[in-house]
Amino acid sequence: MSGRSQASVLLVLGATLLAVSAFSSMYANYVRPGYRPALVVTGVALVLLAIPAFLRRGRAPRVAWLLAAPVFAIVVVVPPPLGSYAARNGVTAPPPAIGYRALGDGVAELTLGEFTGRAMAGRSLAGRRVSLTGFAVHVPGGWYVARMRMACCAADAFVLEVAVEGDPAPREDQWVRVTGTWVPRDEPAIEVDEVAPVAVPEEPYELT
């Protein structure tokens, strides 16, 4: 690859990193939110490295832009966060082995991780109305509200899922907020009295 091509690719890579991290929350579809500063710094560094070489060597050949096209496409066609396909084919996350706070009055808004942990560890959910947010996953005979939990990035994500009873399944991959009560079963389950569609959260993954 010529020097012009290298400079062009560096420039597009740096600009793409800045576009997904500094000027949008798109990066959260792939990595933990805490990595945002590192992505911004890397994007700035790539652009600063590329600009002098790009200007010094003149216009880049067309093949350089073709090499960078797959990277630039990420900005144009945004891949969504992991959804129902990954949930059906992924590994279920074990419940976290931690203590939980006392639940206050009214509807308790819980992460799926906390709900599944409480459901498997004891009866702290008995008789309590709770609210969970996740995406719909269709399974034979019913559906789950699910979310992915990541440690580092989407590649290491595990599945958090809660079986839903008492309401027809929404469109698959639709993000919803379900409100209801815990059902004692061999798996975490909730009997819902309300299912409301919601927008995809800016941070779609739960974190370890």
Side-chain angles (χ1 to χ4, degrees):
M1 184 184 292
S2 70
R4 292 178 181 178
S5 298
Q6 292 174 4
S8 301
V9 172
L10 284 176
L11 184 62
V12 174
L13 284 172
T16 301
L17 274 178
L18 291 175
V20 302
S21 59
F23 305 112
S24 78
S25 60
M26 193 189 309
Y27 74 99
N29 289 353
Y30 320 108
V31 297
R32 295 175 67 97
Y35 291 168
R36 187 177 200 174
L39 292 174
V40 173
V41 169
T42 301
V44 171
L46 289 173
V47 170
L48 292 178
L49 284 171
I51 288 177
F54 184 79
L55 295 177
R56 183 172 60 251
R57 296 177 182 275
R59 184 177 178 181
R62 292 180 181 178
V63 67
W65 301 111
L66 291 176
L67 291 170
V71 180
F72 184 70
I74 294 176
V75 179
V76 179
V77 182
V78 182
L82 297 178
S84 59
Y85 178 84
R88 271 194 296 269
N89 294 278
V91 178
T92 302
I98 59 175
Y100 297 109
R101 70 192 189 283
L103 297 178
D105 297 331
V107 178
E109 187 169 343
L110 305 180
T111 64
L112 266 71
E114 182 174 353
F115 181 90
T116 56
R118 286 178 179 271
M120 301 301 289
R123 302 186 60 85
S124 64
L125 295 173
R128 298 303 310 269
R129 291 187 77 233
V130 299
S131 176
L132 309 174
T133 299
F135 54 85
V137 179
H138 294 179
V139 295
W143 65 287
Y144 288 84
V145 58
R147 204 156 179 172
M148 308 299 289
R149 180 204 287 168
M150 71 159 62
C152 167
C153 56
D156 67 16
F158 288 85
V159 184
L160 295 163
E161 57 186 13
V162 175
V164 178
E165 299 181 0
D167 205 86
R171 174 177 56 82
E172 186 154 80
D173 283 317
Q174 170 68 56
W175 280 79
V176 293
R177 179 178 294 108
V178 299
T179 303
T181 53
W182 169 60
V183 179
R185 280 177 38 176
D186 292 337
E187 62 178 344
I190 184 173
E191 183 172 1
V192 300
D193 50 53
E194 182 181 354
V195 177
V198 296
V200 180
E202 286 193 3
E203 298 179 9
Y205 300 95
E206 292 189 14
L207 307 178
T208 56

